[in-house]
Amino acid sequence: MSTSSSNAGVHSWPRQLQLPGQVAAPDGPIDMRMMYVMHHAFRRDLDLFSAAVRNTPVAERATWALLGERWELFAEALHEHHTIEDDGVWPALEQLGTAEDVATLAAMEAEHGEMEPLLEGCAAGFRRLAAHADEDARAALAVRVCAARESLRRHLAHEETDAIAIIQRLLSAEDWARIEEEHAPPVRLRKAVRLVPWAAYGVPREVLDRVFSEPGGRGFRVIWRLTRRRFARRHARAFRFA
């Protein structure tokens, strides 16, 4: 490729999002806006869960039940996010990358595996506190949530600095779209009603406008408008002590 054509390609690359807490946003041909919106939601929730578990009185069983429901939503979204990467993104990159790239991708998958038992341990803690006013269970849950938060923070920073740089170097926008089509499960209405307001909560409006401008984004904008207030009320109730 000639220098002039290479420079033309660089100038046509999308402007990457940089959201609060995000460590890096490597340049490249793929618009990673949805990846960064999801990372923002994961970081946001774990910060809130960490504060809520420390501060919510153990007798507030209704609040613990709401926190448990929110944890289930968070864990479902995170598990699906990791599954798409493990089954679709990393294997595609391993076929194209260097030995160093492959080592980075193996570390990504291992980090996913390390988080799974932490997520289930936290879920069990929330279930326990929704049923019983148990100070020991709250103390144990605080330790688990803190461990999950620190593990995910390290993983997201690693992904944003190293793995996404590999994605941008090795894949085209068309490659990325094909991987998403093949490995991302369809977003049915019932699922969208739960995930859209969750992912969008706390994201600046100008960022949401970009997200909703994607193909198919108009429907998500409608769902967000119809569900955001109800979601905000439940959010405030769940994290009232955070």
Side-chain angles (χ1 to χ4, degrees), residues 8 13-14 20 30 32 40 73 94 113 128 130 132 155 173 181 183 185 187 215 229:
W13 284 350
I30 303 168
M32 304 297 290
H40 173 268
L73 176 59
E94 286 168 356
R128 173 68 183 176
H132 303 279
H155 173 71
E181 183 178 356
H183 295 279
V187 182
R229 290 184 177 85

Side-chain angles (χ1 to χ4, degrees), residues 163-223:
I164 292 178
I166 296 171
I167 291 171
Q168 297 285 26
R169 175 162 47 84
L170 297 180
L171 299 180
S172 67
E174 292 74 20
D175 294 329
W176 186 254
R178 184 175 62 254
I179 290 170
E180 288 190 320
E181 183 178 356
E182 292 175 356
H183 295 279
V187 182
R188 308 295 186 194
L189 179 59
R190 178 178 294 182
K191 180 178 178 181
V193 165
R194 298 173 66 233
L195 287 178
V196 169
W198 171 81
Y201 190 83
V203 175
R205 180 58 186 268
E206 62 271 17
V207 174
L208 292 180
D209 287 341
R210 283 187 64 189
V211 171
F212 294 143
S213 71
E214 288 187 340
R218 183 176 179 181
F220 290 150
R221 182 191 295 273
V222 172
I223 290 170

Side-chain angles (χ1 to χ4, degrees), residues 45 48-57 60-75 122-123 125-127 129-130 138 141 234-242:
D45 272 19
L48 287 167
F49 279 123
S50 181
V53 170
R54 289 195 310 270
N55 298 324
T56 301
E60 291 280 343
R61 288 169 54 185
T63 305
W64 287 109
L66 288 170
L67 287 167
E69 291 174 11
R70 178 61 172 266
W71 183 267
E72 289 179 7
L73 176 59
F74 160 82
C122 291
F126 283 114
R127 289 193 296 268
L129 285 157
R138 192 254 288 276
L141 179 58
R234 291 183 69 81
H235 174 95
R237 289 168 58 202
F239 293 112
R240 57 185 296 210
F241 296 103

Side-chain angles (χ1 to χ4, degrees), residues 84-139:
I84 294 168
E85 291 175 341
D86 290 343
D87 293 351
V89 181
W90 308 153
L93 296 172
E94 286 168 356
Q95 297 177 27
L96 303 170
T98 65
E100 184 177 357
D101 294 336
V102 171
T104 296
L105 301 170
M108 291 287 105
E109 189 166 358
E111 290 164 14
H112 289 175
E114 289 169 5
M115 275 181 271
E116 287 300 318
L118 288 173
L119 298 177
E120 180 49 43
C122 291
F126 283 114
R127 289 193 296 268
R128 173 68 183 176
L129 285 157
H132 303 279
D134 187 336
E135 286 285 3
D136 290 340
R138 192 254 288 276

